[in-house]
């Protein structure tokens, strides 16, 4: 009798004996239009189900459905478009956070078969997002769009750049009888985009296929379950970026919107500074796409035909519009004066590979720098050797240029500052063992002060001790806890910085560190 009871107990709770943190690979579809509720699939391993979900950002609610791997997502009507990071968790730990996109346009799902250009999926809406997947080797997805002469179709694929789908996508625009009219494969990183002007009335085909993001020995079109994408197709207003890329934080500033199909009343907008913000992500519900503007405490200007001499500190937005362009700005400096030159372009998603060169007034090169690796931007520190005039040059490494070769250049004296970083974004604590979280403190611009660390968001049952090397968490309680925490450093002058980690999978920095407190075993 006793043996039977123990056996029943064991069989009744198999999940608790074998529970593990959720493993989340991707979502499909990977986004939805705001103002509705959708059911999506979370691909991964989840034992037991249901799990719980945490979202970074507002305007979206995620709940597990009854079926394993299914999530019901409700998006508020006024939710800001863009990426939300969703993490699944249970009492044993948490998954990595994966992206889910909130969009403005109606959304549909790709329908197979659509490989044959003679049997494409017909798109009837003027603006739509297609949630698709290149699910097998040699998969090709084809969509038919009807255009009138002179109409511009913007076709933009989100796959590797945002979702980290392991695909290097290729996009083609074909005539109705299958002739390739345009092709692109690397517009936003590995993701293609085409703005196609119809030469005549008719039906045109948008064709998508891919190669592996990590090249291999195969020469065939690639495809897997993980090759998910979002394809935007629109003949309506579409914004690429705002110009200038920075505004002063002192007053509202008018910016130009750069893109396609923008009528006169949508070609400019006024950006109002937000107290305490540094980077503003903006949108207009009448326009497809979001745009970002940095809010700077220093004067911020856009390059013009008369921009020749600048006075640091200053932030300049410019662009190299044609091949061989060089932008040159002169400035005065005193002997021994230090200036830091910081440029952003590649890291903003533009194709410019900046090269910074400081010369004297006669053009003699004093110091220069380029990015240390692909996809990065250079910085340059300069100390004036004498009183006088100097010049800073902005070039492209390959001497290329276009309307997208834009940059944001900040010139200012080095400011003492510090930053904090940690090695990962998920941590587990139990009463059986303290949790040590090493914190790397990086001092910049001559900063030498002490920094006091603290942990924000941990439950009251957790005791926190700090040292110059990091923080240690201890608990004697068996309280289950699963929430984000933050590690904050405060200098003697009151300046605070939050520890971040750069997640290699997505190349993004986050200060949201996940803490799981498990029961002692």
């Amino acid at each position: 009798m006793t043996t039977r009871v123990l056996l029943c107990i064991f069989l009744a709770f198999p999940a608790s004996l074998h529970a593990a943190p959720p493993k989340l690979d991707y979502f499909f579809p990977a986004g939805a239009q705001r103002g509705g509720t959708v059911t999506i699939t979370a691909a991964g391993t989840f034992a037991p189900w249901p799990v719980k979900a945490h979202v970074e950002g507002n305007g979206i609610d995620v709940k597990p459905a009854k079926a394993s791997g299914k999530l019901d997502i409700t998006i508020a009507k006024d939710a800001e478009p863009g990426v939300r990071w969703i993490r699944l968790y249970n009492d044993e730990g948490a998954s990595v956070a994966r992206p889910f996109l909130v969009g403005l346009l109606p959304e549909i799902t790709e329908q197979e078969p659509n490989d044959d250009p003679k049997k494409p999926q017909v798109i009837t809406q003027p603006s739509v997002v297609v949630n698709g997947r290149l699910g097998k080797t040699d998969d090709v997805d084809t969509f038919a769009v009807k255009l009138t002469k002179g109409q511009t179709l913007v076709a933009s694929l989100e796959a590797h750049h945002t979702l980290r789908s392991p695909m290097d996508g290729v996009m083609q625009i074909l005539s109705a009888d299958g002739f390739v009219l345009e092709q692109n494969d690397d517009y936003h990183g590995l993701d293609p985009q085409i703005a196609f002007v119809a030469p005549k009335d008719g039906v045109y085909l948008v064709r998508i296929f891919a190669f592996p993001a990590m090249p291999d020995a195969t020469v065939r079109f690639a495809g897997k379950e993980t090759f998910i994408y979002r394809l935007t197709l629109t003949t309506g207003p579409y914004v690429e970026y705002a110009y200038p890329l920075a505004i002063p934080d002192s007053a509202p500033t008018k910016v130009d919107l750069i893109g396609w199909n923008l009528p006169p009343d949508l070609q400019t907008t006024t950006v109002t500074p937000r107290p305490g913000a540094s980077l503003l992500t903006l949108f207009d519900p009448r326009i497809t796409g979001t745009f970002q503007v940095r809010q700077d405490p220093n004067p911020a200007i856009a390059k013009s035909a008369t921009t020749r001499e600048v006075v640091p500190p200053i932030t300049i937005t410019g662009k190299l519009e044609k091949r061989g362009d060089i932008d040159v700005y002169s400035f005065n400096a005193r002997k021994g004066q230090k200036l830091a030159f910081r440029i952003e372009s590649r890291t903003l998603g533009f194709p410019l590979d900046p090269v910074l060169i400081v010369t004297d007034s006669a053009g003699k090169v004093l110091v220069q720098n380029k990015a240390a690796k692909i996809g990065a931007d250079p910085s340059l520190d300069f100390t004036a050797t004498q009183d006088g005039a100097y010049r800073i040059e902005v070039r492209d490494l390959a001497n290329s240029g276009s309307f997208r070769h834009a940059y944001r250049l900040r010139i200012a004296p080095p400011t003492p500052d510090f930053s904090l970083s940690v090695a990962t974004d998920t941590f587990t604590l139990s009463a059986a063992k303290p949790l040590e979280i090493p914190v790397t403190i990086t001092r910049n611009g001559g900063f030498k002060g002490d920094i006091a660390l603290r942990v924000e968001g941990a439950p009251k049952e957790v005791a926190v001790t700090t040292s110059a090397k990091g923080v240690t968490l201890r608990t004697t309680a068996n309280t289950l806890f699963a929430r984000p925490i933050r590690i904050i450093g405060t200098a003697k002058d009151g300046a605070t910085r939050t520890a971040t980690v750069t997640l290699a999978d997505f190349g993004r920095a986050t200060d949201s560190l996940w803490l799981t407190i498990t029961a002692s075993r």
Side-chain angles (χ1 to χ4, degrees):
M1 182 68 179
T2 302
T3 302
R4 291 178 181 175
V5 172
L6 290 175
L7 180 60
C8 290
I9 293 174
F10 177 81
L11 293 175
F13 299 100
S16 63
L17 296 176
H18 300 285
K23 179 181 179 295
L24 175 61
D25 297 326
Y26 61 87
F27 299 118
F28 186 81
Q33 184 182 20
R34 64 178 185 167
T37 298
V38 295
T39 299
I40 70 169
T41 298
T45 304
F46 316 106
W49 185 267
V51 295
K52 300 174 185 177
H54 178 267
V55 183
E56 293 181 29
N58 299 321
I60 179 171
D61 180 65
V62 181
K63 294 181 179 178
K66 290 183 179 181
S68 179
K70 298 295 183 180
L71 300 173
D72 293 330
I73 297 185
T74 301
I75 305 172
K77 292 182 179 180
D78 59 351
E80 290 190 2
V83 180
R84 301 293 190 278
W85 294 91
I86 302 176
R87 189 190 302 272
L88 303 183
Y89 67 97
N90 59 22
D91 292 341
E92 299 300 316
S95 73
V96 297
R98 296 291 182 183
F100 182 86
L101 279 72
V102 175
L104 294 169
L105 299 180
E107 307 217 355
I108 62 173
T109 302
E110 174 226 349
Q111 301 295 322
E112 293 282 359
N114 59 2
D115 295 50
D116 189 343
K118 295 179 181 179
K119 298 179 180 179
Q121 180 175 344
V122 177
I123 304 299
T124 58
Q125 301 96 320
S127 297
V128 69
V129 173
V130 182
N131 290 283
R133 185 198 321 253
L134 296 171
K136 61 184 185 301
T137 300
D138 292 331
D139 199 359
V140 177
D141 291 346
T142 310
F143 307 92
V145 180
K146 189 174 183 180
L147 302 174
T148 59
K149 181 179 180 180
Q151 196 170 23
T152 298
L153 170 70
V154 179
S156 183
L157 193 77
E158 287 182 294
H160 184 270
H161 184 256
T162 306
L163 304 176
R164 281 302 189 264
S165 295
M167 57 181 275
D168 183 355
V170 180
M171 178 189 295
Q172 295 176 332
I173 305 294
L174 285 69
S175 62
D177 49 4
F179 286 94
V180 176
L181 303 177
E182 286 197 30
Q183 177 171 313
N184 181 262
D185 57 356
D186 292 314
Y187 194 90
H188 295 293
L190 297 181
D191 293 341
Q193 179 174 302
I194 294 175
F196 173 74
V197 181
K200 61 181 181 179
D201 294 355
V203 173
Y204 296 86
L205 306 179
V206 180
R207 183 161 65 183
I208 304 295
F209 54 89
F211 300 98
M214 294 295 292
D216 56 27
T218 61
V219 292
R220 304 170 65 179
F221 296 158
K224 293 181 180 179
E225 286 293 305
T226 53
F227 280 36
I228 60 172
Y229 65 79
R230 286 167 58 81
L231 172 64
T232 297
L233 299 171
T234 181
T235 54
Y238 186 98
V239 64
E240 181 83 2
Y241 65 94
Y243 191 92
L245 296 165
I247 64 167
D249 63 6
S250 55
T253 302
K254 183 178 290 187
V255 300
D256 295 328
L257 299 184
I258 310 300
W260 296 271
N261 301 324
L262 293 164
D265 62 322
L266 295 181
Q267 292 178 5
T268 62
T269 189
T270 299
V271 179
T272 301
R274 299 176 188 170
S278 58
L279 187 64
L280 306 178
T281 299
L282 307 166
F283 72 98
D284 186 315
R286 299 169 294 177
I287 303 174
T288 301
T290 61
F291 53 97
Q292 291 187 328
V293 176
R294 180 166 294 283
Q295 187 172 296
D296 205 298
N298 298 322
I301 64 170
K303 180 192 75 171
S304 69
T306 59
T307 306
R308 293 290 181 267
E309 184 173 343
V310 296
V311 179
I314 194 169
T315 299
I316 309 164
T317 295
K319 51 187 169 182
L320 305 180
E321 298 188 76
K322 61 181 185 296
R323 184 171 181 80
D325 265 2
I326 302 172
D327 284 352
V328 181
Y329 308 99
S330 65
F331 61 93
N332 291 314
R334 303 182 307 276
K335 181 178 180 180
Q337 183 179 358
K338 296 181 178 181
L339 289 173
F341 298 85
R342 303 290 183 261
I343 193 167
E344 297 169 281
S345 185
R346 272 289 183 176
T347 51
L348 301 179
F350 295 116
L352 172 64
D353 272 324
V355 178
L356 295 177
I357 303 174
V358 175
T359 75
D360 62 17
S361 58
K364 179 183 177 181
V365 175
L366 303 177
V367 61
Q368 61 180 315
N369 199 13
K370 62 181 181 180
K373 60 182 180 179
I374 296 174
D377 289 318
S379 61
L380 189 151
D381 295 320
F382 170 71
T383 302
T385 56
Q386 61 184 14
D387 294 353
Y390 297 87
R391 303 191 308 174
I392 175 70
E393 297 182 2
V394 178
R395 301 172 180 244
D396 178 68
L397 184 62
N399 288 321
S400 297
S402 74
F403 81 100
R404 295 188 65 239
H405 280 63
Y407 62 84
R408 184 166 56 211
L409 173 64
R410 188 173 188 268
I411 309 172
T415 302
D417 201 354
F418 68 95
S419 62
L420 311 176
S421 62
V422 292
T424 185
D425 69 325
T426 56
F427 302 92
T428 302
L429 171 66
S430 74
K433 183 180 180 181
L435 170 64
E436 296 182 358
I437 305 178
V439 179
T440 300
I441 301 174
T442 303
R443 291 172 165 83
N444 303 307
F447 182 89
K448 297 180 180 179
D450 294 332
I451 299 167
L453 299 176
R454 73 177 191 272
V455 176
E456 183 181 87
K460 61 182 180 180
E461 294 85 0
V462 172
V464 180
T465 57
T466 65
S467 68
K469 295 183 178 180
V471 299
T472 301
L473 280 58
R474 294 179 174 86
T475 184
T476 57
N478 280 325
T479 303
L480 297 179
F481 176 87
R483 290 289 186 275
I485 62 171
R486 286 176 171 79
I487 299 175
I488 299 172
T490 303
K492 288 185 177 180
D493 63 0
T496 62
R497 300 292 181 266
T498 305
T500 63
V501 56
T502 299
L503 304 177
D505 282 354
F506 290 94
R508 75 168 185 122
T510 180
D511 62 3
S512 181
L513 312 178
W514 192 266
L515 175 64
T516 301
I517 303 179
T518 62
S520 298
R521 290 177 172 79

